[in-house]
């Protein structure tokens, strides 16, 4: 059973890449199939620094771990970015965990950031990037979207005369 999940995501030009650290415990003795994540394209999976073999079933990924023991799994994932006029969005993968917290690194200074379902706990902008800390609902994919602010240069006032 996954007890805690820590998600990190970074938006690049047309893709979102991230890591997901899952910690939990296997209670049964012997080999046990543990559901890990749904709705993601996995690039790499490791347990204690070693490659982790995965099963793909019903749109989700699971690992077979030996128990009883605690485990720590690191997953690298990617998701497509969906652009729309004035907005961009993507779907965060949904780990089956008791608590899910994360950090999302977005380009620029977005006007309106939404995470549904989820809660934004902190927002910080520096060096042309915005970092948003979130808490997510376990087992449900979160839809992240934001609107883009248009940056324009201010024009100097010009004197006008009317006759």
């Amino acid at each position: 059973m996954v007890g805690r999940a820590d998600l990190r995501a970074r938006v690049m030009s047309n893709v979102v890449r991230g890591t997901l650290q899952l910690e939990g415990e296997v209670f049964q003795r012997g080999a046990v199939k543990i559901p890990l994540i749904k709705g993601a394209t996995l690039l790499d999976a490791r347990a204690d620094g070693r490659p982790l073999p995965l099963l793909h079933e019903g749109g989700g990924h699971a690992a077979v771990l030996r128990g009883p023991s605690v485990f720590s799994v690191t997953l690298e994932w990617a998701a497509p970015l969906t652009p729309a006029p004035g907005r961009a969005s993507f779907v965060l993968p949904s780990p089956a965990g008791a608590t899910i917290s994360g950090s999302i690194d977005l380009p620029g200074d977005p006007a309106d950031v939404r995470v549904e379902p989820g809660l934004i706990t902190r927002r910080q902008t520096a060096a042309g990037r915005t970092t948003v800390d979130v808490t997510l609902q376990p087992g449900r994919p979160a839809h992240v979207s934001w609107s883009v602010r248009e940056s324009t240069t201010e024009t100097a006032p010009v004197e006008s005369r009317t006759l």
Side-chain angles (χ1 to χ4, degrees):
M1 169 179 206
V2 175
R4 184 172 98 58
D6 184 39
L7 184 123
R8 302 281 175 225
R10 181 175 175 90
V11 176
M12 293 177 269
S13 60
N14 61 351
V15 71
V16 181
R17 291 187 65 149
T19 59
L20 184 60
Q21 181 73 34
L22 303 172
E23 296 174 356
E25 188 170 354
V26 178
F27 297 111
Q28 296 176 345
R29 186 174 300 277
V32 178
K33 182 172 68 171
I34 305 292
L36 299 176
I37 192 170
K38 285 187 178 182
T41 300
L42 290 183
L43 306 174
D44 190 28
R46 298 197 170 270
D48 300 323
R50 296 184 313 267
L52 176 68
L54 298 174
L55 302 170
H56 184 70
E57 295 178 331
H61 297 280
V64 177
L65 301 170
R66 300 201 69 63
S69 67
V70 296
F71 65 86
S72 178
V73 173
T74 303
L75 305 173
E76 289 186 30
W77 58 273
L81 187 63
T82 306
R87 292 195 75 75
S89 66
F90 65 94
V91 177
L92 283 173
S94 62
T99 61
I100 304 168
S101 60
S103 177
I104 304 167
D105 184 2
L106 302 169
D109 184 13
D112 176 38
V113 180
R114 296 180 185 176
V115 179
E116 299 168 354
L119 177 67
I120 296 175
T121 58
R122 186 179 73 102
R123 177 182 167 151
Q124 180 179 357
T125 302
R129 307 279 307 175
T130 298
T131 303
V132 179
D133 291 343
V134 297
T135 300
L136 304 175
Q137 187 173 359
R140 291 191 56 198
H143 184 83
V144 178
S145 66
W146 65 97
S147 62
V148 181
R149 287 186 180 157
E150 187 176 319
S151 59
T152 60
T153 57
E154 289 190 30
T155 57
V158 179
E159 181 179 332
S160 66
R161 295 182 188 189
T162 308
L163 294 174

